[in-house]
Structures are given as C-alpha cells and as structure tokens.
C-alpha cells in the first residue's frame, strides 16, 4: 500500500513517471519548473496503473494543485475511510468498478456533486442517479475463445459457458475477483437468483482447471490449449495485442465474442470517481473529476489501460480498432452491481466457484 506519495517523490521511484523513453538522466523538473502550488488534492484510488501517476502529474502541472495519492485495495480504502471518519483527508475516490463506488456511497463516504460539465458529458446510465459518483471510462466483460475449436455462434451468450458442449473446456479466474462479482451482480438481476446460480453451477461443472490467474492468464491458457473458452475484460486482450512477442503470439490464437447482442448487450462496468463525504478540498476534487472528463483527461485515463472513453468524441486508445466496430452493451443500473455483490459471492461459493 502506498500512503500519501507526493508526485515529485513518487517519480524518484517510478520509472513510468519519466518521459516516454526514460533515457534522459536529467530530472524533468529541471526542464519544466513546476507550477507554484495553489492547492492540494488527496486521491484515494483503488486503481493500480503507472499511467495514473502520469495523469496526476499532468493535472498538477496544469493547475498547480499538488496531487497526493493513496493506492490500495478497495476494501482497505473503505475501511480506512470509515476509521478516519470526518477527519479523513480523502478528497476524491477512484475505483474501476461501479459496485465498489456504490459501496463507498452506501457507507456514507461520498457526497453528491452537481456538475453541469459531468451531467452533460457522462451518459446517464454511467453515473450515480444521486450524483455521488460519475463513470469516466468503460470496460466490457466478454467471452474469449479458441476459434479453431469454437464457432462464434457457440459463444454468443454468457449462458453458453454453461453448455454441456464445453465440458472440461472452461477456464476462469477466482469468483472473489470483482469483475466476476459484478458480472454475477447483473446476471442476478437479469435472470433471477435461482437461474444465475444454476448458471454458475453448470459453468463450474465445465471447468478445465480450478479457478486461477488473472484475465491475461485465461487468454494464455486458451492459447496453450488448456481450455477453449473464458471470460475476460476487453482491455486485457487489447493490451496483449500490443504486448511482448509471446503475448502477441498467444492473443492472436484467440478471438473475442461480445455476448448478448440479440438481447440486453455485453456486461459493461466503469472506472469512475466521486468526491469524499468530508473532502477538505471539495472544489479541487470537482475540478479534477471534471478534468478527467475533458479530451485530455479521457486520453490519459484510457490510452495505456485500453479502457473505452465515456465522453462522446474522445480519442480512442490505440488498439481498440481490434474490437468489433459496433457492439451492443448493457444499459443497466450500475449501483445494482454493488447492491448484489454479497449475494453474488454467496452464489459463487455455493456453486463451488472458488
Ligand atoms: Fe483490470
């Protein structure tokens, strides 16, 4: 866990903070004197991307507002904020899961913000109806498959993963992973608890191996012939298309299917942000979240992660042209992902999806 790393100090340790090549031995600050500090912003983030440090640095350079960030797991941040109470220094909370944002809201750790900029730029179903959090980038949880063993029409619904056709052919990561919990959070609502649980049980019956690894690991397992279908967030697949030779070789043996195109659409989730309930720097917090919804903020948020910008007209990260040009995504009340999270875990546990 990192606790309050001022950017200037963080960049001493993080190679990603330097210029694109990192070849110059001269500190960047020598070339561009930092703006005179005009304020402070404390960010609590459940994201872990080096590119976010670059993003904070850019905001700092443009506004003079010094960004201090704390990166940790969502549960840890939530408990920390509860313990800090109204003395919490947190201004902005960032998470790459809407269910998690909901949990901060439900715990009274966020406050509503009225921002015309955000209301105009962020589509309604990607923000909290009570304006506690705003989605800023989106991610789709889709099916990855081996096209030499699976026809596209065999994987055009999440239900297909439960088909007896795929006995011994399904790879999955753990159910404790938030991406799987949030997918189940939607399935509970769409299908009902009983059908969602029956689906989980049948998927478990098809496992090629016990749940393990991350999303990238599922793609690699398919490429290695250990299984022929799995679930992944789209951006892991896209990143691999631009990764090492080994990653590119693996990913090119697989294809993505965006499920539910004839029904409700592929499961979508967001990276989003909200203002902390007791934010000491509320104005700076709103300014920062609004900045993330600018062309530049959207670019910095998504260019490395390969998430999809939420603001209309924002530049698409390189590599996203490998996704289908047009796909249907679910329009769903994302707070339900949080409301259903405990039930989702209980269902996976009963189904034996560890
Ligand atoms: Fe991720």
């Amino acid at each position: 866990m990192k606790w309050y790393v001022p950017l200037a100090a963080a960049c001493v340790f993080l190679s990603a903070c330097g210029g694109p090549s990192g070849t110059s031995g001269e500190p960047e600050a020598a070339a561009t004197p930092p703006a005179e500090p005009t304020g402070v912003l404390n960010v609590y983030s459940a994201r872990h991307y080096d590119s976010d440090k670059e993003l904070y640095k850019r905001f700092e350079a443009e506004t003079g507002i010094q960004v201090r960030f704390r990166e940790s797991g969502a549960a840890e941040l939530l408990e920390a904020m509860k313990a800090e109470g109204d003395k919490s220094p947190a201004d902005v909370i960032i998470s790459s899961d809407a269910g998690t944002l909901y949990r901060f809201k439900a715990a009274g750790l966020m406050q509503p913000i009225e921002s015309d900029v955000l209301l105009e730029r962020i589509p309604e179903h990607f923000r909290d109806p009570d304006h506690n959090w705003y989605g800023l980038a989106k991610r789709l949880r889709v099916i990855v498959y081996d096209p030499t063993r699976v026809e596209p029409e065999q994987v055009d619904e999440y239900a297909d993963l439960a088909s007896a056709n795929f006995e011994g052919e399904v790879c999955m990561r753990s159910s404790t992973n938030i991406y799987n919990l949030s997918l189940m959070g939607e399935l509970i609502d769409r299908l009902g608890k009983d059908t969602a649980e029956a689906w989980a049980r049948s998927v478990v019956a098809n496992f090629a191996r016990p749940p393990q690894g991350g999303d990238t690991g599922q793609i690699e397992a398919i490429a290695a012939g250990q299984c022929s279908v799995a679930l992944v967030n789209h951006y892991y697949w896209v990143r691999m298309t631009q990764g090492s030779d080994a990653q590119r070789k693996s990913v090119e043996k697989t294809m993505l299917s965006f499920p539910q195109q004839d029904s409700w659409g592929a499961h979508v989730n967001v990276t989003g942000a909200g203002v902390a309930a007791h934010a000491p720097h509320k104005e700076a917090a709103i300014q920062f979240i609004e900045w993330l919804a600018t062309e530049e903020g959207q670019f910095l948020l998504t260019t490395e992660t390969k998430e999809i910008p939420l603001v209309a007209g924002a530049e698409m990260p390189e590599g996203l042209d490998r996704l289908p040009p047009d796909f249907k995504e679910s329009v769903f009340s994302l707070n339900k992902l949080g409301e259903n999270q405990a039930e989702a875990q209980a269902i996976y546990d009963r189904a034996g999806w560890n």
Side-chain angles (χ1 to χ4, degrees):
M1 185 184 77
K2 299 185 189 73
W3 169 235
Y4 279 139
V5 190
L7 253 321
C11 290
V12 173
F13 304 106
L14 297 162
S15 57
C17 294
S21 65
T23 49
S24 168
E26 199 178 337
E28 199 172 309
T32 319
E36 203 54 40
T38 58
V40 166
L41 180 72
N42 295 323
V43 176
Y44 277 30
S45 176
R47 282 176 36 123
H48 309 275
Y49 293 117
D50 283 347
S51 55
D52 283 355
K53 280 105 188 168
E54 181 64 25
L55 181 152
Y56 299 145
K57 203 173 145 196
R58 289 279 282 273
F59 178 75
E60 196 170 286
E62 284 177 29
T63 62
I65 296 171
Q66 187 195 355
V67 179
R68 300 187 295 201
F69 61 94
R70 174 177 183 169
E71 284 185 349
S72 189
E76 201 178 338
L77 287 179
L78 197 129
E79 289 312 313
M81 284 188 68
K82 278 186 189 167
E84 289 161 356
D86 60 8
K87 302 282 185 298
S88 176
D91 293 307
V92 170
I93 300 160
I94 299 178
S95 169
S96 47
D97 175 69
T100 302
L101 293 167
Y102 165 84
R103 289 180 57 214
F104 280 92
K105 174 194 173 189
L109 299 172
M110 285 180 169
Q111 61 175 301
I113 55 166
E114 302 303 326
S115 161
D116 291 343
V117 172
L118 294 173
L119 291 174
E120 185 196 312
R121 294 187 187 172
I122 307 302
E124 197 173 353
H125 63 284
F126 289 130
R127 48 180 158 87
D128 174 38
D130 302 320
H131 305 166
N132 277 239
W133 58 261
Y134 291 83
L136 294 160
K138 64 185 175 184
R139 56 253 313 280
L140 284 298
R141 193 143 186 83
V142 298
I143 298 175
V144 57
Y145 66 98
D146 176 349
T148 68
R149 295 161 70 190
V150 178
E151 297 296 327
E153 53 277 11
Q154 288 180 289
V155 283
D156 58 8
E157 294 185 357
Y158 295 108
D160 292 329
L161 297 170
S163 158
N165 291 334
F166 290 126
E167 194 183 345
E169 291 292 331
V170 176
C171 279
M172 286 290 173
R173 72 187 291 173
S174 165
S175 70
T176 58
N177 171 258
I178 194 68
Y179 309 145
N180 284 339
L181 287 171
S182 283
L183 173 63
M184 178 56 81
E186 178 166 359
L187 294 180
I188 287 169
D189 197 80
R190 299 277 187 195
L191 307 172
K193 286 176 193 172
D194 292 347
T195 306
E197 182 164 339
W199 173 81
R201 286 180 188 281
S202 299
V203 173
V204 169
N206 284 340
F207 279 174
R209 57 179 192 173
Q212 58 196 269
D215 282 16
T216 304
Q218 313 311 314
I219 298 168
E220 287 167 344
I222 292 175
Q226 293 175 31
C227 43
S228 60
V229 288
L231 283 170
V232 291
N233 285 356
H234 79 274
Y235 55 84
Y236 290 103
W237 191 90
V238 173
R239 281 186 220 158
M240 283 178 77
T241 67
Q242 303 186 338
S244 65
D245 287 351
Q247 285 195 328
R248 288 206 301 270
K249 213 170 149 192
S250 290
V251 78
E252 296 305 345
K253 290 182 181 170
T254 70
M255 291 189 80
L256 294 184
S257 168
F258 283 59
Q260 313 301 140
Q261 295 303 288
D262 297 327
S263 57
W264 63 75
H267 172 71
V268 63
N269 202 335
V270 293
T271 281
V275 177
H278 304 289
H281 313 99
K282 183 178 172 182
E283 292 311 312
I286 295 172
Q287 187 182 347
F288 178 67
I289 298 174
E290 288 180 341
W291 179 79
L292 290 175
T294 63
E295 209 170 307
E296 185 186 19
Q298 289 280 286
F299 177 79
L300 291 168
L301 200 59
T302 61
T303 186
E304 294 295 330
T305 67
K306 307 303 178 190
E307 291 171 283
I308 303 172
L310 271 194
V311 175
E315 186 179 339
M316 284 292 148
E318 205 180 314
L320 285 194
D321 54 358
R322 291 291 306 271
L323 303 182
D326 226 357
F327 53 81
K328 183 173 178 181
E329 62 190 26
S330 179
V331 176
F332 186 73
S333 166
L334 292 177
N335 277 324
K336 286 185 187 166
L337 304 183
E339 288 169 22
N340 290 345
Q341 202 178 93
E343 181 70 37
Q345 188 65 70
I347 285 175
Y348 281 133
D349 289 348
R350 286 196 296 271
W353 183 327
N354 301 316

